[in-house]
């Protein structure tokens, strides 16, 4: 008896190493199909069988729902105990081939009013026009949801950056070009986010715009409120901003000598092309 319409005699199962074509031979005509995900093939004969399929050179045991290595290894991470990383056959390299790009994090840092969000949006639009998938994690936007429980106190700022870093890492692992744009004033917090990713996949972009230029712009009116003492701990006024010393990209802007967001985004596109992030 066969639950999916094939005759029970299936002595040979062959497949490509990329979850591509599988063919069943043994008296039947070859049948080829392309799965749209991970397929569990169940053949009902006298008893249920477990099939071992070679996926990208690894043997994935389709048995009791567990896959990967170290089945019995449990870890403690922070306050989380007795947890285990679950491996899946579809990996970052597979997703990158699907998207024809390489996942990474572009971390845009700078003072309020330096143009981080404008440049991020221009970059995202240029990537979209090239058929590349990106997502923006904007500092204000994430505080509308994920980080709405955090204030602007020093300890909450640390947690704000940590959470955004972890989410950005997930986007990069999914194959996205993740664009994070936050003031992120402290070097140690940016360094911690860099350490979350493989070497080269964290691209720091420093919006090198003087305080006087940002304060003259003051698009949200925050500098005016900070100068009036209505906002405490405002970066650049009564809280420090630690400029990056080794950013991959530095975008400078002085009074009367500022490139447009599109021009700045173009420099970032050139960097991504040079480093091979716009192809799988």
């Amino acid at each position: 008896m066969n639950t999916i319409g094939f005759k029970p005699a299936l002595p040979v199962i062959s497949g490509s190493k990329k979850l591509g074509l599988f063919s069943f031979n043994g008296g039947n005509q070859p049948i080829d199909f392309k799965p749209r995900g991970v397929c569990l093939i169940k053949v009902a004969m006298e008893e249920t069988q477990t099939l071992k399929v070679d996926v990208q050179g690894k043997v994935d045991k389709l048995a009791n729902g567990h896959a990967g290595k170290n089945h019995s290894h449990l870890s403690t991470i922070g306050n989380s105990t007795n947890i285990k990383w679950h491996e899946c056959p579809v990996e970052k390299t597979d997703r990158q081939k699907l998207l024809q790009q390489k996942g990474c994090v572009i971390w845009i840092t700078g003072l309020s009013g330096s143009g981080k969000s404008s440049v991020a949006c221009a970059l995202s639009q240029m990537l979209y026009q090239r058929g590349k998938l990106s997502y923006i994690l904007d500092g204000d936007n994430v505080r509308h949801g994920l980080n709405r429980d955090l204030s602007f106190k020093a300890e909450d700022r640390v947690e704000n950056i940590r959470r955004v870093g972890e989410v950005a890492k997930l986007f990069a692992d999914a194959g996205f070009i993740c664009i994070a744009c936050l003031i992120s004033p402290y070097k140690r917090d940016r360094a911690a986010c860099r350490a979350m990713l493989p070497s080269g996949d964290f691209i720091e972009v420093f919006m090198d715009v003087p305080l006087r230029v940002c304060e003259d712009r003051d698009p949200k009116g925050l500098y005016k409120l900070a100068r009036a003492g209505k906002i405490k701990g405002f970066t650049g006024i009564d809280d420090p901003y630690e400029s990056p010393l080794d950013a991959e990209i530095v975008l400078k802007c002085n009074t009367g000598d500022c490139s447009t967001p599109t021009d700045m985004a173009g420099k970032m596109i050139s960097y991504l092309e040079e480093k091979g992030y716009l192809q799988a």
Side-chain angles (χ1 to χ4, degrees):
M1 187 174 182
N2 194 311
T3 57
I4 54 176
F6 296 121
K7 294 180 181 180
L10 298 173
V12 179
I13 301 177
S14 62
S16 76
K17 290 186 177 181
K18 298 182 179 180
L19 279 179
L21 296 177
F22 286 81
S23 62
F24 293 77
N25 303 310
N28 301 325
Q29 292 295 321
I31 300 173
D32 293 339
F33 64 94
K34 289 185 178 180
R36 294 294 180 252
V38 179
C39 286
L40 292 176
I41 308 169
K42 295 183 179 179
V43 181
M45 290 186 266
E46 292 183 358
E47 59 184 33
T48 302
Q49 298 182 10
T50 298
L51 306 181
K52 294 182 180 180
V53 181
D54 187 11
V55 181
Q56 292 187 333
K58 301 177 181 178
V59 175
D60 183 39
K61 296 182 179 180
L62 306 179
N64 59 355
H66 296 283
K69 303 176 181 178
N70 301 325
H71 295 297
S72 61
H73 180 69
L74 298 177
S75 302
T76 296
I77 307 294
N79 293 327
S80 297
T81 60
N82 299 319
I83 58 175
K84 181 177 71 67
W85 187 268
H86 190 93
E87 297 286 351
C88 292
V90 179
E91 299 178 340
K92 181 179 180 180
T93 53
D94 301 299
R95 294 185 285 270
Q96 290 181 151
K97 288 177 182 178
L98 182 68
L99 296 172
Q100 286 299 296
Q101 62 185 50
K102 292 179 181 176
C104 63
V105 173
I106 299 174
W107 193 279
I108 306 177
T109 176
L111 292 169
S112 176
S114 61
K116 299 181 299 298
S117 296
S118 297
V119 171
C121 289
L123 175 60
S124 181
Q125 185 176 27
M126 293 177 75
L127 289 169
Y128 175 80
Q129 291 169 346
R130 286 165 171 75
K132 304 303 176 183
L133 192 58
S134 66
Y135 193 83
I136 297 174
L137 296 175
D138 181 89
D140 278 7
N141 290 359
V142 294
R143 283 183 176 273
H144 279 75
L146 176 66
N147 292 348
R148 65 183 178 185
D149 59 320
L150 301 177
S151 70
F152 286 91
K153 295 179 181 178
E155 60 272 19
D156 280 358
R157 282 187 166 188
V158 172
E159 176 61 12
N160 177 61
I161 298 304
R162 187 195 70 81
R163 291 185 192 178
V164 173
E166 291 285 359
V167 173
K169 179 180 70 173
L170 294 177
F171 270 108
D173 187 62
F176 282 65
I177 296 172
C178 182
I179 308 166
C181 48
L182 308 91
I183 294 174
S184 45
Y186 308 132
K187 292 179 183 177
R188 65 179 183 273
D189 296 337
R190 299 192 301 267
C193 291
R194 180 186 291 272
M196 294 178 187
L197 288 108
S199 178
D201 286 358
F202 184 92
I203 303 163
E204 189 173 39
V205 179
F206 175 34
M207 300 294 296
D208 188 4
V209 184
L211 175 62
R212 67 179 185 279
V213 175
C214 296
E215 194 166 357
D216 285 344
R217 293 174 176 175
D218 202 10
K220 304 173 187 175
L222 298 178
Y223 283 102
K224 184 177 181 180
L225 293 174
R227 291 293 187 188
K230 296 180 180 180
I231 297 179
K232 301 295 183 182
F234 191 77
T235 302
I237 303 299
D238 55 354
D239 200 69
Y241 176 81
E242 299 172 357
S243 300
L245 300 177
D246 55 356
E248 282 74 13
I249 301 173
V250 177
L251 300 175
K252 290 182 175 291
C253 174
N254 292 306
T255 304
D257 184 26
C258 292
S259 300
T260 65
T262 300
D263 289 339
M264 291 183 176
K267 295 179 181 179
M268 297 160 73
I269 289 287
S270 297
Y271 180 91
L272 293 173
E273 288 178 336
E274 179 185 342
K275 298 299 181 180
Y277 283 99
L278 301 187
Q279 58 189 16

